[in-house]
Each structure stands twice: as C-alpha cells, then as structure tokens.
Amino acid sequence: MTRLRTLVEIVVLALLLAPPLRSQGNRWERQVRDQLQRAAATLQNARSGPAQPTRTGTLNAEESASFTVTLEAGVSFDIVGVCDNDCTSLGLTLATMSNNDIAADRTGESFPVLHLSPTVTASYRVKVLMKACQMNPCWYGVGVYRK
Amino acid sequence: MARGMRLWIAAAIGACLVIAVAYLPPRGGVREPPSPFRLMLPQLTPARLRAQALADAWRAAAAEVRLQESRARLDIDLARLGSANGGPALLIDGPDSAVSFLGPTLRAELETTWRRLGLGVTKVAVVVVVHVPGSGLTGGAAPPEERGGGAAYLLPDSTDRTTCVVVLQAGYWILDLLKTRRLRWAGQFRTNLKDSFGPCAFYAAYGNPSKPVRHWLANRNFDLALSPVWDEAGNVERTAWWLVDSRSGRWWWEMIYRLSPSTVGCLAGRATECKGAVLDGVDYAFDDSLPRVVVPGRRWWLRQGLVPGERYLADVARDVGHDRFLRFWNSPFPLDTSLAEALKMPIGRWTERWERRYVQRVPLGPAAPRSASLLAMLLGAVAVTTVALTAQRRQVR
C-alpha cells in the first residue's frame, strides 16, 4: 500500500512538473521568459502576481502583434515588453478598443515599460512592434503587473 | 586584249574561285552535327509554351496542396520537432517498411549535411518530409515528372514564422538506397540532400529575410537561393555542362538563346546586364501577398536568371562572410543598396567576376571566323603585293 502511494505521488509529481518543462521551448523563448521573470522581480510587489498571463510570440522586424487585456480602474499597472538577444528595438503601445493610444513607449530600446492607472475598468489593446531584429524572427514577451 | 589585262582577269577569277571554295556549302547544305539537346527540347511553339505554362501552374498547385495536406494530416508541432535536437526534423511519409529502414540512414545523413553547412540550433526550424511512392498519406501519388526527386518548399509566414518545410519526393538516390539497402555514392547522395534544403537552409542560417529581400526572391521563385552550398567552392564542370561542349569547346547556342537577354549579356561579360539579371524581380511597391510555396519548375536551370543562379546567394554568403550577409539578408533598405553594401563593390562588377568562375565569356555580336579573317588578310596581302610589283615595273614614257 505504501509502495502504491509512493508510485501515485511520483506520477502526480511528474504530471505537475511536465508542463513547465515542455513549455520551456527553445533558447530564444527561454531568454524572453527569463527576462520577464527578472522584470517581474524588479517591478512587482512580492505579494502580488501578474495581473494577466504573460504573452510571448515571434515577430519579424517591422511586424506588430496585438492582444487584449482587461485593466481595473484605480489600480496602477506596469506593462513590460521584453525580447530576445537578437532584438535591438521593441515598441509597446496601449490603446483603447477604438484605437486611441493611451500610453506608448517608443524610445527604441528593447525593454519598453508603460506605467498607468486606468480611470475606467475596460478592455484595452496592447500592441507590440518589433522595430529591429538582427535575425528574424525575434521572440517577444509582454507582462502586465499590478503595482 | 593586252597581256596584262588577261593576267588581271585571271587573277580575279582565281580569287573568286578560292572564296567560293572556302565559303559556299556543298550541294545539299551543311548539316550541323546532331545535338543531344535538340532531341530533348522540342521547338518552342506558342501552343507548346502555353501548354508548358499550364503544366507548371498545375504542378505548383498540386505541390502546394500536397504540402498543406502533409502538414495538416501529420498533425504535429513542427516547430518543436525541429528545435528539439538542433538539426532538421525528418518525417517519412510512406510504407512502414520504408520508414523503418530509411529513417535512421536519412536522419544521420541529414544531420551530417546540416553540420557541414555550419548549422546548429536555428531560429527557423527545418522539417524534411520525404514522400516514398506507395504511400497514401498525401492523397495520391506524385505525378511522373516529380518522381525525379524534386523538392518543394513551404516557407515561414506570419502564421508560422519558425518552420520551413521541405517536401522531397523520393527520387533516384533515395529509391536506390531503398532498393539496394546500402548507401552507394555517399558523396552524391549528400550533395543531393544538401541541395534539397534549398531556400530553407538560408532561412535556417540567416532567419527570415527582410521585406525587400523576401519580395525580390519570391518574385523570381527563389532561383538564386536554391542551392545552399556556401561551404564549398563551385565546380565549373557541374555548372556549365549544358552551355558548352567540354570536348570541342563549342557553345550550345540553342541553349544560350533560351536564356533572358540580360542573362546572355552577363554571360558575355557585360556588367550592366549582370546587374540587370541580379535585380530582376526587385519591386519597390511591396505587395503583401507573397506565395508561401516554392516549387522550382521543371528544367528550372534552363530559365534561370544567372548561370549558375542556384548558387549565387550561397557564393555571396561565402565571399562576404556570415555577418555581412546577415546584414544584407535582414536589411530594410532597397535591395540594390544593401547588396552593393554587402559586396563592397558595384553589383554588376562583382557578378560579372562571379560569372567568369563558372562560364567563360560568351562571344556575342557579329564576328568573322578566324579562317575567314586569315583568308581575307592573305588575299589583301596578295593584292597589295601585286599592286606594288606592278607599280614598281611601271614606266612613264
């Protein structure tokens, strides 16, 4: 009985560990995930987690991608963009669903950050622009953190 | 009639006879020696050209269908499969016996070829799908003309930026391996496999190209990036055999004049024509819709923009080095600017020099044969000597 319990525990442990191991992906994806973790450690309060699941993907130079996030009114957020080591410039823009820009970081660096406190709880569009990538495609990641 | 006059008339008639003997063909005309190409390539009539264009379009559509079917039916995460071990992923679509035998050998050969190209873990993963005859996975056998082992390519696009698929019909080399159960002529087999990587090897080595490069290559069906041979110098015998008879040194004019005017001009050593041949396909108003599937046409080498165009970009990469080629490949600037910048010299001049490595200068324009020139000079010399002798003897009374 004890052996059976041990076996079940091993299987459960393996099932719990397997998805993160599989999702590590290639080295460029790992670079992005590592950077997001470092950004989270730097920016966020230790007690609170990411407000939204982080987004990762690939883009060629001069291409962009958008996704939607829901932000609560009166809460301060940090939206951080990171990209792999081949990427030299990444742009990040937050806009309303009607495409009015609210905040943008177009400094041309590979680590754009947006700070904002929405006045209305609503869905917003986050747009990532891969401005420069030395070897296409470049992996990017975006994290939304509650302050 | 004076004696001197008779002599002149006889000399003139003699000269005419010499010229006639030298130039007039014997009765029935002169037949050119039989050419093997004439037998293989029938005369291009408008109807035949139309039929060939239709056949090419049909083949491209059929290949695209097979590529998409392969991807959908095999239903695997191609990107992860490719990045798992750093080399190309291999999928064999065929009977189980063929898969079990070919798998290990082909996988090992692909890995070897991959390493020789200097590739390791790449951003764009390459998946090689080999179709062995007798398989039902792709919904039908390949047409006869594709059984020669031709490859088709599914390039990365915005729906999947990290996977390049090579669909390879099992041609002579693979079928021979399957039949004899051993790898005869390993060198040729690897060369063939390397060529099969085609544009996918460039995508693996240098990532997805910038928009100007992508449009340029797509507009010309990637004819300059079909052979990723940046690891070895070119071989004259392998590239120009269909342009010149190696035994007699005689040009196959019939083949030369099937090429475009700029290609022929480049073969003749004209740098401006070389530049034109390279920049063919450059457009400055980029259309977003680019074909994702590349299928080199049947006898593509007869219609290439440069000879040997299939290795042009590989030779550029080999000459300028990895970093400069990478900058060119990813450059957002117009193609003529970025390529000249990578080459560090005008495109036409570099290409003309490159062309000379493989094909000697083709003599173009009107030119008298050597024998005719010699005869003309001889007759001229005789005439001048005769006049000089006559003038010497002339006496004024």
Side-chain angles (χ1 to χ4, degrees):
Chain A
M1 195 64 187
T2 314
R3 284 180 64 189
L4 185 65
R5 192 187 297 164
T6 310
L7 190 66
V8 169
E9 281 172 5
I10 289 170
V11 170
V12 169
L13 197 64
L15 287 173
L16 285 172
L17 288 175
L21 286 174
R22 273 205 309 271
S23 64
Q24 279 179 351
N26 58 44
R27 76 163 183 249
W28 298 278
E29 199 173 345
R30 282 200 298 275
Q31 284 168 10
V32 165
R33 291 192 187 281
D34 290 348
Q35 288 188 52
L36 278 175
Q37 281 176 2
R38 282 201 293 275
T42 308
L43 293 170
Q44 79 183 65
N45 186 316
R47 287 171 298 173
S48 61
Q52 308 274 340
T54 54
R55 294 287 184 123
T56 57
T58 56
L59 285 172
N60 292 329
E62 298 178 26
E63 286 183 345
S64 62
S66 298
F67 61 93
T68 307
V69 294
T70 304
L71 302 178
E72 297 161 37
V75 180
S76 292
F77 291 94
D78 286 324
I79 303 178
V80 179
V82 295
C83 52
D84 71 23
N85 293 350
D86 289 329
C87 149
T88 51
S89 182
L90 188 72
L92 198 58
T93 308
L94 184 77
T96 61
M97 295 307 282
S98 52
N99 278 331
N100 292 317
D101 288 0
I102 298 172
D105 186 335
R106 299 192 183 99
T107 52
E109 294 171 2
S110 57
F111 190 76
V113 182
L114 302 177
H115 307 281
L116 73 153
S117 300
T119 52
V120 184
T121 299
S123 293
Y124 296 88
R125 195 188 303 276
V126 176
K127 184 179 174 188
V128 190
L129 172 64
M130 186 63 65
K131 289 182 175 175
C133 173
Q134 289 171 334
M135 186 186 276
N136 292 311
C138 278
W139 267 256
Y140 71 90
V142 177
V144 181
Y145 302 100
R146 201 189 296 264
K147 271 189 177 175
Chain B
M1 191 182 288
R3 188 169 159 268
M5 192 65 170
R6 266 189 246 128
L7 191 69
W8 277 108
I9 291 170
I13 291 170
C16 287
L17 279 173
V18 169
I19 292 170
V21 167
Y23 286 101
L24 291 181
R27 197 167 178 178
V30 175
R31 282 188 189 165
E32 280 198 40
S35 158
F37 293 111
R38 190 160 296 164
L39 297 172
M40 290 163 62
L41 302 170
Q43 197 179 0
L44 293 176
T45 60
R48 185 165 280 135
L49 283 171
R50 171 80 181 138
Q52 285 179 354
L54 273 173
D56 283 346
W58 179 83
R59 273 190 289 273
E64 184 162 0
V65 168
R66 275 200 301 283
L67 275 163
Q68 301 290 3
E69 277 182 351
S70 300
R71 198 159 171 213
R73 292 193 192 193
L74 291 166
D75 192 25
I76 46 174
D77 188 342
L78 296 175
R80 287 193 187 284
L81 189 69
S83 61
N85 56 6
L90 173 67
L91 301 168
I92 301 175
D93 173 18
D96 289 347
S97 57
V99 174
S100 59
F101 173 73
L102 283 176
T105 312
L106 275 182
R107 198 164 285 115
E109 291 302 325
L110 284 172
E111 291 285 344
T112 305
T113 310
W114 191 255
R115 277 199 302 276
R116 284 189 181 173
L117 287 172
L119 300 172
V121 179
T122 55
K123 276 190 160 179
V124 176
V126 173
V127 179
V128 179
V129 182
V130 178
H131 287 295
V132 180
S135 62
L137 190 60
T138 53
E145 62 272 17
E146 287 185 16
R147 291 176 199 156
Y153 307 96
L154 183 65
L155 301 177
D157 71 352
S158 58
T159 62
D160 183 355
R161 295 181 179 88
T162 57
T163 310
C164 193
V165 183
V166 180
V167 175
L168 193 57
Q169 296 296 335
Y172 174 77
W173 299 106
I174 294 177
L175 293 179
D176 183 69
L177 172 63
L178 205 55
K179 192 176 164 188
T180 61
R181 299 274 157 172
R182 66 194 179 92
L183 192 59
R184 301 189 289 175
W185 307 297
Q188 288 99 320
F189 186 87
R190 285 177 192 144
T191 303
N192 194 261
L193 268 189
K194 183 160 61 177
D195 283 342
S196 301
F197 281 128
C200 283
F202 284 87
Y203 275 72
Y206 301 101
N208 296 332
S210 65
K211 201 177 254 188
V213 175
R214 200 161 63 237
H215 279 253
W216 169 57
L217 288 175
N219 287 343
R220 51 189 304 155
N221 206 27
F222 282 79
D223 69 331
L224 302 183
L226 288 178
S227 189
V229 284
W230 53 72
D231 61 324
E232 62 179 54
N235 183 328
V236 179
E237 284 76 28
R238 272 193 70 197
T239 49
W241 59 269
W242 55 279
L243 280 181
V244 61
D245 183 349
S246 58
R247 288 167 301 175
S248 64
R250 190 170 148 269
W251 294 100
W252 301 113
W253 291 107
E254 196 177 351
M255 311 303 287
I256 290 171
Y257 283 114
R258 279 172 183 261
L259 300 167
S260 72
S262 58
T263 310
V264 177
C266 189
L267 285 171
R270 296 171 188 168
T272 48
E273 297 297 328
C274 289
K275 184 181 177 185
V278 172
L279 297 182
D280 184 29
V282 170
D283 58 25
Y284 295 95
F286 300 130
D287 178 11
D288 277 341
S289 58
L290 280 177
R292 196 184 171 193
V293 173
V294 175
V295 184
R298 205 163 55 104
R299 290 177 183 152
W300 54 267
W301 37 275
L302 289 178
R303 285 170 283 183
Q304 55 189 336
L306 286 166
V307 181
E310 73 275 12
R311 60 173 301 142
Y312 180 79
L313 281 183
D315 281 338
V316 171
R318 182 181 159 82
D319 275 23
V320 307
H322 181 273
D323 292 348
R324 256 161 64 190
F325 190 82
L326 181 64
R327 278 200 295 278
F328 153 71
W329 190 254
N330 285 288
S331 173
F333 299 114
L335 194 104
D336 47 355
T337 309
S338 58
L339 185 56
E341 167 65 22
L343 297 172
K344 300 283 183 201
M345 71 166 69
I347 295 170
R349 199 197 308 167
W350 190 92
T351 307
E352 198 276 326
R353 287 182 188 173
W354 168 84
E355 188 72 87
R356 292 288 79 74
R357 294 182 206 169
Y358 301 104
V359 187
Q360 55 179 297
R361 198 184 300 264
V362 173
L364 285 190
R370 278 184 195 166
S371 58
S373 307
L374 195 69
L375 183 65
M377 285 172 68
L378 202 67
L379 288 173
V382 168
V384 168
T385 311
T386 313
V387 169
L389 286 173
T390 312
Q392 210 175 21
R393 276 199 231 154
R394 200 168 68 180
Q395 292 177 351
V396 179
R397 291 174 187 167

